[in-house]
Amino acid sequence: MKDKSGRGSNNGATPYDFGGEWTPSELEIARRLARKKKNQRSALIAALSSFLVLGTLVLVIVTSPGWETLRNTFFKWAYGVEVLPKIILGFGTNAMLTVIAGTSVALIGLAIALLRTSRSPALTPFRFLATVYVDVFRGIPMLLVILLVGFGIPALQIKGLTNNVLVLGTIAVIITYSAYVAEVIRSGILTVHPSQRAAARSLGLSNAQTLRHVVMPQAIKRVTPPLLNDLVALIKDTGLVSILGVTDAVRAAQIQTAKTFNYTPYVMAAIIFLLVTIPLTRFTDRMLRNSLEKQNAQGQA
Amino acid sequence: MSTPVLRLEKVRKSFGKEIVLEDITFTVPEHTATVFIGASGSGKSTLLRCVNLLDQIDDGQILLDGSDISAAEVNPDEVRKKLGMVFQSFNLFPHMTVLENIILAPTKVQGVSKEVAIEEAKDLLAKFGLKDKAQQYPDRLSGGQQQRVAIIRSLARHPRLLLLDEVTSALDPVLVNEVLSTVKDLKEEGMTMVLATHEMGFAKQVADEVCYLQNGRILEWGTPQQILENPQLDDTKEFLRRVHDAGRL
């Protein structure tokens, strides 16, 4: 037993090795038994209530008069499996778009955040432009930006400018998300306490060195959970470029639905998105919880 | 007589309409410690921040080794290379280990090679009894240990002058002593220092000169014996009586 609890006994020097010596008192044993009983009762109640509520829900849905039609329209699995390869192929576009846009957004967002938090007088006009940019593109629907860029730029008929809707759609997504991400990173920079800057500067570090070695590492760590949140949103929003005629998962599903007037392809596309976004959301939640716990622990120390 | 390390002449500082420092004049010769005492809000911290150029003065002059560091064309980064500053709230970098905290400025600012900087940091840590903490992150250390690391971080840059801003105010009485004995060691080694403190007993032990600051003015100054045991002004007496009642003398 003692060998397995490697934590306390590996070097034998720790003063907190209680292994083996201590046996719980009568009082503690009784208390544990009572707690266990209480937990068992709680679990039983939870199971019973879940069964009742969910069971009733399923029963109501399945026995309702429209159920057959509903199932045939949205959940015709055989048809769903048949169109699945085409939708997965379409989702490849969404995935690629997410990777390319995500990388660009991270870089551009970081640059804008640094620009907006800098105090260098030479950068004043750029700071002004960055502020306008963020205000504008955070304030208009992304769909509008996609339409403006995707249909507007080809309408200019400028030579050398691409008419590829996939490229234009990606650019539109990058433009919009960079504005969001810049603000998230900027808020992270602002949450680093001024005393950290003061300490770095009084050690003789220049402004740029302070940013690079002291402010940014702390800021990025803090905004990683919200940035992951934005990544989830980005994955979903890549579906919006389908409006330009890009054959992504949404568009592929739409094409199939238009043929048969059966909506199962849409549901299949939704499921594919969920398979990616739900694990990522869970991961983000856990990370956020961990970082909050760490922050609180630091506050107590 | 040689040039003093630090000289302030008629320094004035205000935040908006509030005057924080007025007519501040004093001299810190080499190897001496000047201690500022006074109530919270009397301007002690602002004074140190002004010397470090973290705050800009409104009038007067600050001379470091005889050269005017309050001149408009002075690069603060160059001045700060000669100064060490230790804060009340430690301000260690939480994302770096103790060792990384200490070698940051020597390697990035002063161009010391990493090997040399690490070697020296380890020597300093050993000297101040923190040898086994090199790889720890600051939040795993006690307040007293954190403050000693902060002092070491300043020392690693070989400052001409060390500014200590109420370095024990955030610590409990037991931890206060370990930090104070560190500062006493530095004094004995000949470090030139300016301190702001609430610890009168400590002021008595390290100070060559004590200045009583009230509402941004130096009201009374002299040797520790003069100021702490035989103050002339009623204001100083009143302040010391209140400190005494609070059990800090």
Side-chain angles (χ1 to χ4, degrees), chain B residues 96-109:
Chain B
M96 296 180 184
T97 64
V98 164
L99 194 67
E100 287 165 347
N101 262 282
I102 297 170
I103 65 167
L104 179 67
T107 54
K108 302 295 173 194
V109 181

Side-chain angles (χ1 to χ4, degrees), chain B residues 1 9 32 66 69-70 72 83 95 111 119 137 164 166 177 185:
Chain B
M1 187 171 160
E9 265 169 49
T32 68
I69 59 167
S70 50
L83 300 172
H95 60 295
E119 200 60 36
Y137 282 90
L164 302 160
E166 295 189 23
N177 285 328
D185 289 348

Side-chain angles (χ1 to χ4, degrees), chain B residues 149-162:
Chain B
V149 171
I151 292 173
I152 293 171
R153 185 172 70 174
S154 289
L155 291 177
R157 303 163 47 244
H158 306 289
R160 184 89 176 101
L161 174 69
L162 197 57

Side-chain angles (χ1 to χ4, degrees), chain A residues 1 10 20 68 82 107 118 152 190 195 251 262 276 284 288 301:
Chain A
M1 200 56 206
N10 50 5
E68 267 312 299
E82 189 188 316
L107 294 175
S118 84
L190 295 180
S195 65
R251 183 79 179 151
N262 185 292
V276 178
T284 308
L288 187 65

Side-chain angles (χ1 to χ4, degrees), chain A residues 25-97:
Chain A
S25 66
E26 299 271 323
L27 184 73
E28 175 62 20
I29 292 170
R31 198 154 48 198
R32 285 182 191 181
L33 215 68
R35 262 188 221 135
K36 202 170 159 192
K37 257 188 197 155
K38 211 168 145 191
N39 287 346
Q40 280 169 344
R41 207 170 53 225
S42 302
L44 192 70
I45 292 172
L48 215 68
S49 108
S50 306
F51 180 75
L52 269 175
V53 172
L54 298 179
T56 312
L57 208 64
V58 169
L59 210 67
V60 167
I61 292 170
V62 173
T63 57
S64 68
W67 169 240
E68 267 312 299
T69 334
L70 184 86
R71 203 176 58 179
N72 283 330
T73 316
F74 289 103
F75 306 109
K76 213 169 173 184
W77 297 125
Y79 179 48
V81 170
E82 189 188 316
V83 297
L84 191 60
K86 283 187 176 126
I87 297 174
I88 289 178
L89 204 69
F91 189 75
T93 306
N94 297 90
M96 188 186 70
L97 219 154

Side-chain angles (χ1 to χ4, degrees), chain A residues 95-228:
Chain A
M96 188 186 70
L97 219 154
T98 302
V99 171
I100 294 172
T103 315
S104 318
V105 164
L107 294 175
I108 298 171
L110 180 66
I112 293 172
L114 287 174
L115 199 58
R116 288 199 70 189
T117 49
S118 84
R119 281 180 217 139
S120 156
L123 295 174
T124 305
F126 297 103
R127 203 157 39 234
F128 170 73
L129 288 175
T131 309
V132 171
Y133 167 80
V134 168
D135 280 351
V136 168
F137 287 100
R138 263 198 335 161
I140 52 181
M142 187 162 95
L143 187 57
L144 217 58
V145 182
I146 292 176
L147 291 173
L148 276 170
V149 175
F151 293 137
I153 288 185
L156 293 174
Q157 297 194 319
I158 299 172
K159 260 202 175 159
L161 231 56
T162 180
N163 283 350
N164 184 329
V165 281
L166 180 58
V167 174
L168 292 173
T170 310
I171 290 172
V173 172
I174 292 172
I175 290 176
T176 306
Y177 265 82
S178 294
Y180 285 113
V181 167
E183 282 306 276
V184 173
I185 297 177
R186 188 171 77 101
S187 73
I189 293 173
L190 295 180
T191 58
V192 176
H193 199 272
S195 65
Q196 287 283 309
R197 270 178 203 264
R201 294 313 294 274
S202 64
L203 284 173
L205 269 70
S206 69
N207 200 12
Q209 285 173 323
T210 301
L211 211 55
R212 154 97 178 72
H213 298 291
V214 175
V215 177
M216 288 317 285
Q218 297 184 58
I220 294 298
K221 211 167 170 181
R222 270 176 223 183
V223 296
T224 303
L227 284 180
L228 280 174

Side-chain angles (χ1 to χ4, degrees), chain A residues 2 21 97 101 260 290:
Chain A
K2 217 180 162 189
E21 298 290 325
L97 219 154
T260 57
N290 287 347

Side-chain angles (χ1 to χ4, degrees), chain B residues 23 110-111 114 137 152-153 157 170 183 208 210 238:
Chain B
D23 202 16
Q110 285 156 323
K114 203 170 174 187
Y137 282 90
I152 293 171
R153 185 172 70 174
R157 303 163 47 244
V183 178
D208 295 287
V210 174
E238 169 69 13

